[in-house]
Amino acid sequence: MSTVSRKLDHIRICLEQQVESEWRPFDDLHMVHRAIPELQMEDIDTRCRFLGKDLSMPFMICAMTGGHPDSRNINVNLARAAEEARIALGVGSQRAALEHPEVVDTFSLVREIAPSIPVIGNIGGAELVQEGPEVVEEVAGMIGADAVAVHLNFLQELVQPEGARRAEGLIDALHGCGSLHVPVIVKETGAGISREDARMLVSAGISIADVAGVGGTSWSGVEARRAAQRGDLASQQIGQAFWSWGIPTPLSIVECASAGLDVVASGGVRSGLDVARSLALGSRMAGAALPFLEPATRGSQAVLEVIRSFERAFRIAMFLTGCRNPEQLRSSPVLVLGRTREMMELRNIDTKYYANREMSR
């Protein structure tokens, strides 16, 4: 099956079937309520800078689609809404456009519609190893990207019968990106990034990572659904077995931030409250994809409504924790409970540090 056709399969499955993790690690995070916040809602400033551009809040719509003519309108609606709301936007894997130039416009139109926000290109780690750093410049030029995400989806690839099986050489390939004119963001796709890998990324000159941990869309689950539809029982069983494989997003945020990476927190971010929780654990940005997919099939205003909902909840969380700006939120105390706490403590992370720190005012 071609890359183009596979992209359409993924969109359809994500729209029609349950593909999310059954565990929501963000529910284990409880921010400390301030009954006396000593501020007014007008005092709250959610703005930040990302990739050299001003945003209305530290949030992005993460890589979702592109590469099939039917995905064109989805990207049009995402771009219009992101530009109006002044948040960042990532596009889906551009491999399809490299293989089929006729679908380049499903990606390139994003920059035409959204000229002033950060736009993040996308290519797979397997393609980077195979083609070399030049492929990063190629996909960046295709859409006028402010950065390019190199996505790590080896779990998904292993469930796909047609998937890539080579992961060797990635760190060397990332080292080779140091001389490029466009920043590289390393992005997982639902299984998280450990501190061991974070240290390797830092040593390779990478400064930004989108952790995309367990808690949101399971791409192993998507491939299990896809395998079931074509009657591939073996791949379906593998996809189901690894449905929840990986590192929960909150744990990955802490491990990557402590290794020195600027973290984009995605993987189960489903509200502005989750954005606030992410920043309290140390991320610089947060992002989500699946909550915007169905609205993007209806129009840019439907997408904008979801963005506004995220923004409102983010502001309320800041107000109720006494935070005037995102930087204060990053030092706000947060309680880590349940399974997430157990995993953090097994990784020698002091959860009491996050519970008892005092926010600078």
Side-chain angles (χ1 to χ4, degrees), residues 31-34 37 39-42 44-46 57 271-277 308-324 329 332:
M31 304 191 74
V32 175
H33 174 65
R34 298 299 299 269
L39 50 71
Q40 302 181 71
M41 188 61 87
E42 307 88 74
I44 293 174
D45 183 357
T46 62
M57 64 181 292
S271 70
L273 176 55
D274 291 339
V275 176
R277 289 163 167 164
R308 297 305 186 204
S309 176
F310 270 72
E311 182 182 28
R312 182 182 180 189
F314 183 58
R315 283 183 171 274
I316 289 173
M318 290 180 66
F319 185 95
L320 294 177
T321 54
C323 297
R324 296 173 183 268
L329 193 56
S332 180

Side-chain angles (χ1 to χ4, degrees), residues 23-30 250 268 273-274 277 335 337-338 340:
W23 175 36
R24 256 193 53 83
F26 277 104
D27 288 342
D28 288 341
L29 305 181
H30 295 258
L273 176 55
D274 291 339
R277 289 163 167 164
L335 311 178
L337 306 177
T340 303

Side-chain angles (χ1 to χ4, degrees), residues 121-145:
N122 194 318
I123 194 66
E127 285 73 53
L128 176 63
V129 172
Q130 181 177 345
E131 305 293 336
E134 298 77 16
V135 74
V136 172
E137 297 276 18
E138 186 174 356
V139 299
M142 188 188 299
I143 62 171

